[in-house]
Amino acid sequence: MRTKVFHHVSNPQLFKQKLLLWSQAYHEIVWLDSNEYEGKYDNYDAVLAVDAFTSIKTDFFNAFEDLEEYRSSTSDWIFGYLTYDLKNSIEELISKNYDGLGFSDLYFFQPKKLFLLKGDKVEILYLNIVDDELETDLMEIEKTELIESKHSDEPIKIKLRIHKDEYFDKVNQMLGHIQHGDIYEANFCQEFYSENCTIHPLDTFRKLNNISKPPFATFLKIEDKYLMSATPERYIKKEGSKVISQPIKGTARRSVNFNEDQKLARELSDDEKERSENIMIVDLVRNDLSHTAKRGSVKVEELCKVYSFLQVHQMISTISSEVTEGISPIEILKTTFPMGSMTGAPKISAMKIIEAIEETKRGLYSGSVGYFKPNGDFDFNVIIRSILYNSTKQYVSYSVGSAITAKSDPLKEYEECLVKAKAMREVLEN
């Protein structure tokens, strides 16, 4: 049974900073921050879940069935992640590429302590509360002193898993598959990494978030593994009987010059290649949603709309559906995962080709972090623009990708990857 308390804060931004710093004492943390982005489908400004009361950690085998059993047995809020490699649970697929991070394929936990922030109000939900625990925690949060960012003593040297010439060769392999009719589009990703290095996860997240201010920023800590994400993309959300998915396909850089910046946004909106990428994924998402939707309820609410973020302009579409009665929330995830924006079309063929051509196991990159409410509603993001860290192995990684279509130019695809990688590289190299 959860104890619910509403708490008023005079300075929401300061409270958010103190709350996140206070949370670092726990082994399990999920922090989700909208950065005051006002989206049509957003409920909270920020959410913090800490301290596992129960949890589930598993590999891909039977993962969605195990998650269904766990969600049903808790009938509570649960937070966690789905890695890209859960694809192997859904289709006859494998993941044999190099993995320097070692995240389990799926992890969710039932938090003892949960904070839901909206405006100047905080809804606090504690599980099995002890005496004056909540009041004590609030006092500790208020007393928390913000500290200056820590810098790594040694510079972090970023390495490329795939070098430029090899990248061109691999894109040309993708184009060969497209020309042979195996696929129409595939998201091809490459890893940047550093070994034997130590970073301060919270400070790294703060810097990355300040550069990008995305609507789905995420800080995740599960024991010795960390995610610091500045993702702008929602994977899927369920509220009542309505489900929405908001794939991103199409990226352009920003400019400090207003007129040039507007020109870049217009060019993205009019770019035939970028629009075709986006529309192909919209069709894929429509098909995925149709598996659990009432007949005729799948709709495209926005098509190829350009949104501007601090680092980039992005082309986003919104697809919605009404869920057939009796469909479980897990079934909605299973029939849409992995998200179309990170795979390609046709989806299964694209995933097979991706596995053969990429050098790194994706793991949590291009997976998802999110939560389920007790009533089965949920909200999940897409893990892109993210830094991943295994503190025990001292291994840091970030990956970026782009959609390869028949009209792709390998050099332009490479340059798009560098634009997407810019914020992560700046943060890690100070």
Side-chain angles (χ1 to χ4, degrees), residues 361-401:
K361 180 179 175 180
R362 289 192 183 179
L364 188 47
Y365 171 71
S366 74
S368 183
V369 172
Y371 60 86
F372 294 91
K373 293 182 179 181
N375 67 358
D377 286 352
F378 57 73
D379 201 1
F380 284 87
N381 63 18
V382 178
I383 297 305
I384 53 175
R385 320 290 158 80
S386 303
I387 296 167
L388 294 129
Y389 178 49
N390 183 317
S391 62
T392 302
K393 292 184 176 182
Q394 294 185 308
Y395 187 90
V396 175
S397 168
Y398 62 90
S399 295
V400 291

Side-chain angles (χ1 to χ4, degrees), residues 144-414:
T144 298
E145 292 186 19
L146 301 180
I147 53 177
E148 291 293 319
S149 292
K150 297 176 183 177
H151 294 278
S152 175
D153 292 332
E154 295 185 17
I156 293 174
K157 182 172 176 55
I158 303 298
K159 301 177 185 177
L160 287 72
R161 185 70 61 189
I162 300 171
H163 289 275
K164 191 173 181 179
D165 289 345
E166 188 184 3
Y167 177 87
F168 291 164
D169 290 342
K170 288 177 178 288
V171 171
N172 284 321
Q173 285 181 54
M174 285 272 188
L175 290 170
H177 282 289
I178 292 168
Q179 286 158 8
H180 284 105
D182 303 326
I183 49 171
Y184 308 114
E185 174 180 351
N187 191 281
F188 172 47
C189 300
Q190 58 175 317
E191 183 194 24
F192 298 77
Y193 68 100
S194 184
E195 299 166 298
N196 302 315
C197 68
T198 303
I199 65 170
H200 189 278
L202 180 56
D203 285 330
T204 302
F205 171 71
R206 283 171 173 163
K207 291 171 189 173
L208 184 62
N209 191 47
N210 286 337
I211 286 173
S212 304
K213 296 287 184 187
F216 300 101
T218 304
F219 179 90
L220 176 141
K221 172 188 174 186
I222 305 296
E223 297 171 343
D224 64 342
K225 297 174 187 68
Y226 295 84
L227 164 74
M228 297 136 275
S229 178
T231 176
E233 184 171 358
R234 171 180 274 127
Y235 156 39
I236 196 165
K237 176 175 182 172
K238 176 181 176 289
E239 192 161 19
S241 63
K242 184 169 185 175
V243 174
I244 65 149
S245 184
Q246 296 181 292
I248 291 178
K249 269 285 161 271
T251 303
R253 66 180 178 86
R254 298 295 307 268
S255 172
V256 293
N257 180 286
F258 177 80
N259 290 330
E260 185 187 12
D261 192 57
Q262 294 295 299
K263 181 171 175 281
L264 289 165
R266 284 194 304 273
E267 286 174 350
L268 175 60
S269 183
D270 296 338
D271 190 300
E272 188 180 336
K273 174 192 172 286
E274 302 282 21
R275 290 184 71 87
S276 68
E277 282 182 21
N278 195 296
I279 290 166
M280 274 191 263
I281 299 306
V282 167
D283 286 342
L284 188 155
V285 172
R286 287 172 63 210
N287 181 66
D288 284 353
L289 290 180
S290 71
H291 294 302
T292 57
K294 292 179 182 176
R295 186 182 295 274
S297 71
V298 178
K299 295 185 175 76
V300 179
E301 296 190 6
E302 282 185 341
L303 184 64
C304 298
K305 184 171 179 181
V306 172
Y307 288 83
S308 299
F309 303 95
L310 285 185
Q311 289 279 304
V312 289
H313 300 292
Q314 300 275 202
M315 190 180 284
I316 305 175
S317 293
T318 300
I319 307 99
S320 68
S321 69
E322 292 290 322
V323 180
T324 303
E325 289 177 20
I327 296 288
S328 80
I330 305 301
E331 185 67 15
I332 299 168
L333 291 182
K334 188 176 179 180
T335 52
T336 57
F337 196 84
M339 59 290 298
S341 61
M342 298 307 297
T343 53
K347 199 173 188 179
I348 297 170
S349 297
M351 288 191 287
K352 286 179 179 176
I353 291 165
I354 285 165
E355 182 69 28
I357 294 179
E358 290 181 358
E359 295 289 332
T360 311
K361 180 179 175 180
R362 289 192 183 179
L364 188 47
Y365 171 71
S366 74
S368 183
V369 172
Y371 60 86
F372 294 91
K373 293 182 179 181
N375 67 358
D377 286 352
F378 57 73
D379 201 1
F380 284 87
N381 63 18
V382 178
I383 297 305
I384 53 175
R385 320 290 158 80
S386 303
I387 296 167
L388 294 129
Y389 178 49
N390 183 317
S391 62
T392 302
K393 292 184 176 182
Q394 294 185 308
Y395 187 90
V396 175
S397 168
Y398 62 90
S399 295
V400 291
S402 68
I404 309 303
T405 68
K407 296 179 180 178
S408 287
D409 174 339
L411 178 58
K412 287 184 178 177
E413 297 299 337
Y414 189 76

